[in-house]
Amino acid sequence: MPHVVVLFGATGDLARRKLLPGLTHLELSDLTPDIEVIGTSLEEMDDEQFRAFARQAVDEFSPRRVSDDQWTEFAQRLHYVPQSAGPEPLAAAVKEAEERLGDGVRRLHYLSVPPKAALAVIRMLRDAGLVERSRVVMEKPFGTDLASAIDLNNKVHETFDESQIFRIDHFLGKEAAQNILAFRFANGLFEPIWNRNFIDHIQIDIPETLGLDRRAGFYESTGAYKDMVVTHLFQVLAFVAMEPPTALEPRAISEEKNKVFRSLLPIEPRHVVRGQYSGYRREEGVSPESDTETFIALKARVDNWRWAGVPFYLRTGKRMEQGQRIISIAFKEAPKSMFAPNSGVGTQGPDHLTFDLADESKVSLSFYGKRPGPGMRLEKLSMQFSTQDTERAGDVLEAYERLIMDAMRGDHTLFTSAEGIESLWQRSQPLLDNPPPVKVYSPGSWGPNAIHQLVAPHAWRLPFERAWRQSR
């Protein structure tokens, strides 16, 4: 079914880096039906200026080369209406695009705008008469606490039905995140041991090397917990912790994710380490007395039959030593009585199953094996898989490309529901009401020293004790 994509914030950073290159690839590769793209933003542009802007974005950020002929073909599908023009010219541009596409056209509205501008865009779509036959993609964060999330959902629901709303989390669009579902539910080897009897603890660790990147205004009122944990890390946790859905379809998967969120115990401040990198308060736009955290580590618990007693350790932060996206499942250690004290068993921690959510999706299983030679000396070995090792490596979709496709199809599997986001804010309230003071950490480090007490008697997996094997 052909689509008119209305891209709000079409000249912004996300559109430039991800959305315009992604839409170009989806159209030229025939992965989506025919589309027309109408960009709108605060800048005053005409169609040709917007096409030049989009071409530069594709040349700079697309991982795939686009030839001149391909670009000429796609550029005819790009149009621009300044936001200052109001709802009527936007509605007229959509109508013209629909006439070019033919019968049965649907609309996809992508709100690549700051959260405070989202409701104004929703009102504009209502005033322009662009609600019918449409779906709307909303960027995070979805509120800043329970009250604001409920208010935002209620106001959006005045215009759009919940089935039309797609709250995006690009982490779940990654190949590796979906591989968790395949890994767990398609293999008889792992699902029987995916519980408190065999798993000791789980780490979800997403450090970033980036700083504020000119987002001080947004970040000062948000911080690492609201920006990353509620909208990203908890969503990944749900994929790791959910029960098997009755079917691999959106409603069933969404319900199992929501059960995880309902089972999540309230986040206690004593189980949280907040950090702020030294120099943050000197950044442009940041208060010299700011208490905003640029780093957070916490211990969460899912209070249900499968996970009772198993701690989930989550960590993310700005200006850290490495940029990583790791899920690490630590299995309980085996009895070691048969091995000599100097055999090496147990010296390098428990066996781990590791998912790397980076663009080059990887999975690793570490275990103890015998070192070649005389005697029984053990060392850590690993089996690794990478999508780059397969013949289908070229088929990997960038996260936003996959999520745009899913939104066009009406598939909510990888998106967050109103109930889910409200559950998470409700469980976050103790931390929001009484946040522990921020501890200073050095840029380029792994966070404040208090993170080691938080995870004790365990240890953080990052930094890794060994590098990933390089793909061929």
Side-chain angles (χ1 to χ4, degrees), residues 259-279:
K259 286 180 185 176
V260 173
F261 299 147
R262 291 196 294 268
S263 300
L264 193 67
L265 289 175
I267 306 303
E268 299 183 35
R270 65 191 177 94
H271 292 155
V272 176
V273 175
R274 295 170 71 237
Q276 187 184 88
Y277 64 78
S278 59

mmCIF file of all heavy atoms in Angstrom, residues 259-279:
data_model
loop_
_atom_site.group_PDB
_atom_site.id
_atom_site.type_symbol
_atom_site.label_atom_id
_atom_site.label_comp_id
_atom_site.label_asym_id
_atom_site.label_seq_id
_atom_site.Cartn_x
_atom_site.Cartn_y
_atom_site.Cartn_z
ATOM 1 N N LYS A 259 3.810 -7.355 30.920
ATOM 2 C CA LYS A 259 3.852 -8.165 32.144
ATOM 3 C C LYS A 259 5.187 -7.994 32.857
ATOM 4 O O LYS A 259 5.243 -7.946 34.092
ATOM 5 C CB LYS A 259 3.626 -9.645 31.810
ATOM 6 C CG LYS A 259 2.197 -10.012 31.467
ATOM 7 C CD LYS A 259 2.105 -11.504 31.158
ATOM 8 C CE LYS A 259 0.730 -11.902 30.685
ATOM 9 N NZ LYS A 259 0.681 -13.350 30.289
ATOM 10 N N VAL A 260 6.271 -7.915 32.082
ATOM 11 C CA VAL A 260 7.589 -7.675 32.690
ATOM 12 C C VAL A 260 7.589 -6.328 33.399
ATOM 13 O O VAL A 260 8.048 -6.212 34.545
ATOM 14 C CB VAL A 260 8.706 -7.726 31.627
ATOM 15 C CG1 VAL A 260 10.048 -7.316 32.242
ATOM 16 C CG2 VAL A 260 8.819 -9.116 31.026
ATOM 17 N N PHE A 261 7.067 -5.290 32.735
ATOM 18 C CA PHE A 261 7.060 -3.959 33.347
ATOM 19 C C PHE A 261 6.204 -3.950 34.616
ATOM 20 O O PHE A 261 6.559 -3.295 35.605
ATOM 21 C CB PHE A 261 6.541 -2.917 32.351
ATOM 22 C CG PHE A 261 7.369 -2.799 31.100
ATOM 23 C CD1 PHE A 261 6.782 -2.489 29.877
ATOM 24 C CD2 PHE A 261 8.742 -2.996 31.135
ATOM 25 C CE1 PHE A 261 7.545 -2.369 28.731
ATOM 26 C CE2 PHE A 261 9.514 -2.882 29.991
ATOM 27 C CZ PHE A 261 8.916 -2.575 28.784
ATOM 28 N N ARG A 262 5.081 -4.680 34.601
ATOM 29 C CA ARG A 262 4.243 -4.730 35.799
ATOM 30 C C ARG A 262 4.934 -5.487 36.928
ATOM 31 O O ARG A 262 4.667 -5.246 38.104
ATOM 32 C CB ARG A 262 2.899 -5.383 35.469
ATOM 33 C CG ARG A 262 2.010 -4.550 34.572
ATOM 34 C CD ARG A 262 0.564 -5.035 34.582
ATOM 35 N NE ARG A 262 0.389 -6.349 33.995
ATOM 36 C CZ ARG A 262 0.090 -6.574 32.719
ATOM 37 N NH1 ARG A 262 -0.033 -5.549 31.872
ATOM 38 N NH2 ARG A 262 -0.081 -7.797 32.268
ATOM 39 N N SER A 263 5.829 -6.433 36.577
ATOM 40 C CA SER A 263 6.531 -7.233 37.583
ATOM 41 C C SER A 263 7.784 -6.552 38.107
ATOM 42 O O SER A 263 8.386 -7.019 39.076
ATOM 43 C CB SER A 263 6.926 -8.598 36.986
ATOM 44 O OG SER A 263 5.793 -9.321 36.563
ATOM 45 N N LEU A 264 8.205 -5.486 37.452
ATOM 46 C CA LEU A 264 9.415 -4.779 37.871
ATOM 47 C C LEU A 264 9.173 -4.130 39.234
ATOM 48 O O LEU A 264 8.192 -3.403 39.422
ATOM 49 C CB LEU A 264 9.750 -3.716 36.828
ATOM 50 C CG LEU A 264 11.116 -3.060 36.873
ATOM 51 C CD1 LEU A 264 12.213 -4.063 36.543
ATOM 52 C CD2 LEU A 264 11.166 -1.892 35.887
ATOM 53 N N LEU A 265 10.061 -4.419 40.189
ATOM 54 C CA LEU A 265 9.933 -3.797 41.505
ATOM 55 C C LEU A 265 10.308 -2.320 41.405
ATOM 56 O O LEU A 265 11.121 -1.928 40.555
ATOM 57 C CB LEU A 265 10.845 -4.501 42.513
ATOM 58 C CG LEU A 265 10.424 -5.915 42.919
ATOM 59 C CD1 LEU A 265 11.480 -6.551 43.816
ATOM 60 C CD2 LEU A 265 9.073 -5.906 43.625
ATOM 61 N N PRO A 266 9.730 -1.461 42.253
ATOM 62 C CA PRO A 266 10.092 -0.036 42.226
ATOM 63 C C PRO A 266 11.605 0.154 42.342
ATOM 64 O O PRO A 266 12.284 -0.578 43.064
ATOM 65 C CB PRO A 266 9.355 0.533 43.445
ATOM 66 C CG PRO A 266 8.183 -0.387 43.641
ATOM 67 C CD PRO A 266 8.673 -1.751 43.258
ATOM 68 N N ILE A 267 12.128 1.123 41.610
ATOM 69 C CA ILE A 267 13.569 1.379 41.602
ATOM 70 C C ILE A 267 13.948 2.129 42.882
ATOM 71 O O ILE A 267 13.531 3.277 43.084
ATOM 72 C CB ILE A 267 13.977 2.182 40.357
ATOM 73 C CG1 ILE A 267 13.498 1.479 39.079
ATOM 74 C CG2 ILE A 267 15.485 2.396 40.324
ATOM 75 C CD1 ILE A 267 14.000 0.059 38.909
ATOM 76 N N GLU A 268 14.721 1.475 43.744
ATOM 77 C CA GLU A 268 15.075 2.067 45.035
ATOM 78 C C GLU A 268 16.326 2.925 44.893
ATOM 79 O O GLU A 268 17.333 2.475 44.340
ATOM 80 C CB GLU A 268 15.314 0.962 46.068
ATOM 81 C CG GLU A 268 14.102 0.078 46.324
ATOM 82 C CD GLU A 268 14.373 -0.952 47.403
ATOM 83 O OE1 GLU A 268 15.120 -0.615 48.350
ATOM 84 O OE2 GLU A 268 13.861 -2.073 47.291
ATOM 85 N N PRO A 269 16.296 4.142 45.425
ATOM 86 C CA PRO A 269 17.471 5.021 45.328
ATOM 87 C C PRO A 269 18.752 4.388 45.878
ATOM 88 O O PRO A 269 19.839 4.662 45.364
ATOM 89 C CB PRO A 269 17.048 6.247 46.148
ATOM 90 C CG PRO A 269 15.546 6.274 46.048
ATOM 91 C CD PRO A 269 15.131 4.840 46.024
ATOM 92 N N ARG A 270 18.657 3.528 46.900
ATOM 93 C CA ARG A 270 19.861 2.917 47.472
ATOM 94 C C ARG A 270 20.509 1.923 46.511
ATOM 95 O O ARG A 270 21.643 1.506 46.720
ATOM 96 C CB ARG A 270 19.542 2.242 48.813
ATOM 97 C CG ARG A 270 18.590 1.059 48.709
ATOM 98 C CD ARG A 270 18.108 0.625 50.097
ATOM 99 N NE ARG A 270 17.133 -0.460 50.004
ATOM 100 C CZ ARG A 270 17.427 -1.740 50.084
ATOM 101 N NH1 ARG A 270 18.699 -2.110 50.241
ATOM 102 N NH2 ARG A 270 16.492 -2.665 49.995
ATOM 103 N N HIS A 271 19.794 1.534 45.459
ATOM 104 C CA HIS A 271 20.331 0.626 44.447
ATOM 105 C C HIS A 271 20.704 1.372 43.163
ATOM 106 O O HIS A 271 20.762 0.766 42.091
ATOM 107 C CB HIS A 271 19.321 -0.477 44.120
ATOM 108 C CG HIS A 271 19.114 -1.431 45.255
ATOM 109 N ND1 HIS A 271 17.948 -2.162 45.416
ATOM 110 C CD2 HIS A 271 19.925 -1.791 46.288
ATOM 111 C CE1 HIS A 271 18.045 -2.907 46.503
ATOM 112 N NE2 HIS A 271 19.233 -2.688 47.037
ATOM 113 N N VAL A 272 20.941 2.667 43.284
ATOM 114 C CA VAL A 272 21.225 3.508 42.117
ATOM 115 C C VAL A 272 22.492 4.325 42.367
ATOM 116 O O VAL A 272 22.679 4.864 43.462
ATOM 117 C CB VAL A 272 20.042 4.463 41.813
ATOM 118 C CG1 VAL A 272 20.387 5.400 40.655
ATOM 119 C CG2 VAL A 272 18.773 3.671 41.504
ATOM 120 N N VAL A 273 23.348 4.397 41.354
ATOM 121 C CA VAL A 273 24.497 5.302 41.375
ATOM 122 C C VAL A 273 24.300 6.316 40.258
ATOM 123 O O VAL A 273 24.197 5.943 39.087
ATOM 124 C CB VAL A 273 25.829 4.545 41.174
ATOM 125 C CG1 VAL A 273 26.993 5.540 41.085
ATOM 126 C CG2 VAL A 273 26.066 3.539 42.298
ATOM 127 N N ARG A 274 24.221 7.600 40.636
ATOM 128 C CA ARG A 274 24.129 8.674 39.649
ATOM 129 C C ARG A 274 25.479 9.360 39.542
ATOM 130 O O ARG A 274 26.146 9.586 40.546
ATOM 131 C CB ARG A 274 23.064 9.704 40.036
ATOM 132 C CG ARG A 274 21.651 9.157 40.046
ATOM 133 C CD ARG A 274 20.681 10.147 40.673
ATOM 134 N NE ARG A 274 20.444 11.310 39.817
ATOM 135 C CZ ARG A 274 20.658 12.563 40.194
ATOM 136 N NH1 ARG A 274 21.140 12.842 41.388
ATOM 137 N NH2 ARG A 274 20.399 13.561 39.361
ATOM 138 N N GLY A 275 25.879 9.686 38.328
ATOM 139 C CA GLY A 275 27.171 10.322 38.122
ATOM 140 C C GLY A 275 27.064 11.505 37.177
ATOM 141 O O GLY A 275 26.094 11.644 36.419
ATOM 142 N N GLN A 276 28.074 12.354 37.229
ATOM 143 C CA GLN A 276 28.148 13.509 36.333
ATOM 144 C C GLN A 276 29.621 13.704 35.962
ATOM 145 O O GLN A 276 30.479 13.785 36.844
ATOM 146 C CB GLN A 276 27.611 14.753 37.039
ATOM 147 C CG GLN A 276 27.490 15.986 36.158
ATOM 148 C CD GLN A 276 27.042 17.201 36.967
ATOM 149 O OE1 GLN A 276 27.867 17.917 37.521
ATOM 150 N NE2 GLN A 276 25.723 17.419 37.033
ATOM 151 N N TYR A 277 29.912 13.732 34.658
ATOM 152 C CA TYR A 277 31.326 13.835 34.289
ATOM 153 C C TYR A 277 31.861 15.221 34.633
ATOM 154 O O TYR A 277 31.159 16.224 34.557
ATOM 155 C CB TYR A 277 31.564 13.475 32.828
ATOM 156 C CG TYR A 277 30.945 14.352 31.769
ATOM 157 C CD1 TYR A 277 31.501 15.588 31.427
ATOM 158 C CD2 TYR A 277 29.829 13.921 31.050
ATOM 159 C CE1 TYR A 277 30.953 16.385 30.438
ATOM 160 C CE2 TYR A 277 29.271 14.711 30.054
ATOM 161 C CZ TYR A 277 29.836 15.939 29.749
ATOM 162 O OH TYR A 277 29.290 16.725 28.767
ATOM 163 N N SER A 278 33.114 15.246 35.075
ATOM 164 C CA SER A 278 33.729 16.515 35.457
ATOM 165 C C SER A 278 33.815 17.419 34.223
ATOM 166 O O SER A 278 34.200 16.980 33.143
ATOM 167 C CB SER A 278 35.117 16.286 36.054
ATOM 168 O OG SER A 278 35.951 15.632 35.132
ATOM 169 N N GLY A 279 33.415 18.645 34.405
ATOM 170 C CA GLY A 279 33.360 19.588 33.297
ATOM 171 C C GLY A 279 31.968 19.764 32.729
ATOM 172 O O GLY A 279 31.742 20.689 31.936
#
